[in-house]
Amino acid sequence: MTKSIQIALDGPAAAGKSTIAKIVAEKLGYIYIDTGAMYRAITLKALESGIDLGDSEEAGNLLRDTAIDLQPSPNGQLVFLDGRNITEDIRSRNVTKSVSEMASHESVRTQMVKLQQQLASGRGVVMDGRDIGTDVLPNAELKVFMSASVEERARRRYEENILRGINTPLADLQKEIAARDKMDSERAVSPLRQAEDAFYLDTTELSIEEAAQEILKLAEERLN
Ligand code: DC
């Protein structure tokens, strides 16, 4: 049987993780799991149901009654919330602004981590997020911590948004990304941090293809 490995891809907001994870997964024939989309999905439900996002118990209870599904499609990964396709809805500015708060609750994270571990179990996988190398897949054969300057990340998100018809000014995006970095890195439960055995990849000066190639090279080394 061909060997397959688990690849954990962590880093701050808008570092290009999901774009690169998708390419790497496709090249290796692995599944791709976007864990940020899962936190976004429960945030959308919390906003729609009007619960207090700061209330850990309510947040945990809401997730307990929720089905989040990720399905591959020719146009990328589709995200389902209780059977409803919410792939586009979770990219809204409202969800983006609220997701760090929702993701800070231990009641939410414990359930998410368990679900993510089940999804990855026993298969070749590329999983991207903030705590994959440290908490979700601590035994992953390859861990990469990817980053880029805030200016470059805001610029990339700006261009992505334009294609989606979203017109948030660049300066606002930069502020929002910096605020999200701060919340994600300073939260008490599994904050964003580089695993000790992770490879640090600065993508500020790299194209998407170059970054993907770097990771594929590291993956090949692990596979041989
Ligand atoms: O990768 P993203 O921007 O779609 O992630 C959305 C938010 O979810 C991010 O601000 C932090 C949170 N998140 C997390 O706490 N842990 C993960 N494994 C993935 C995302």
Side-chain angles (χ1 to χ4, degrees):
M1 204 178 91
T2 334
K3 182 181 164 192
S4 51
I5 60 170
Q6 294 187 321
I7 302 177
L9 200 52
D10 290 299
K17 298 184 300 291
S18 61
T19 311
I20 288 159
K22 257 178 252 169
I23 298 173
V24 172
E26 198 165 298
K27 291 252 165 76
L28 294 172
Y30 290 1
I31 60 157
Y32 159 60
I33 300 172
D34 174 359
T35 61
M38 300 168 78
Y39 288 97
R40 286 171 179 271
I42 191 60
T43 304
L44 176 68
K45 184 162 176 177
L47 290 170
E48 286 178 349
S49 55
I51 70 152
D52 175 2
L53 268 70
D55 186 324
S56 172
E57 199 181 333
E58 272 193 61
N61 288 341
L62 186 75
L63 182 54
R64 221 159 278 125
D65 283 332
T66 300
I68 297 172
D69 261 331
L70 303 178
Q71 283 176 22
S73 89
N75 302 322
Q77 178 191 257
L78 300 178
V79 188
F80 292 87
L81 175 66
D82 298 323
R84 174 164 64 108
N85 184 345
I86 48 140
T87 311
E88 288 300 316
D89 311 62
I90 56 169
R91 303 292 156 193
S92 75
R93 201 168 172 197
N94 241 354
V95 170
T96 303
K97 275 187 167 170
S98 307
V99 63
S100 286
E101 182 167 23
M102 201 63 185
S104 70
H105 300 303
E106 185 163 19
S107 56
V108 169
R109 301 202 71 85
T110 327
Q111 296 183 65
M112 284 295 192
V113 169
K114 213 180 273 169
L115 181 56
Q116 289 156 3
Q117 287 171 337
Q118 282 164 4
L119 291 172
S121 171
R123 61 213 298 202
V125 66
V126 184
M127 190 177 264
D128 89 54
R130 304 291 190 285
D131 59 342
I132 311 305
T134 50
D135 292 283
V136 182
L137 304 176
N139 298 321
E141 286 86 350
L142 174 59
K143 299 179 186 179
V144 178
F145 191 89
M146 241 174 78
S147 195
S149 67
V150 177
E151 293 79 11
E152 174 63 13
R153 286 186 282 133
R155 197 191 58 72
R156 289 179 191 166
R157 185 50 53 91
Y158 180 79
E159 284 175 6
E160 227 175 80
N161 279 355
I162 295 289
L163 295 177
R164 287 197 167 110
I166 304 171
N167 282 303
T168 315
L170 184 61
D172 290 6
L173 281 178
Q174 202 170 310
K175 264 189 238 145
E176 284 170 18
I177 287 175
R180 212 139 60 87
D181 284 355
K182 189 167 154 54
M183 266 193 93
D184 293 342
S185 321
E186 290 180 357
R187 69 171 171 239
V189 193
S190 50
L192 166 69
R193 74 186 158 81
Q194 181 176 346
E196 269 173 27
D197 50 352
F199 179 88
Y200 182 80
L201 185 63
D202 185 340
T203 68
T204 310
E205 307 281 338
L206 297 183
S207 69
I208 288 170
E209 256 318 306
E210 286 168 335
Q213 279 311 322
E214 275 292 322
I215 296 177
L216 281 164
K217 203 174 73 192
L218 294 167
E220 291 300 332
E221 286 169 16
R222 305 297 190 277
L223 279 161
N224 289 323

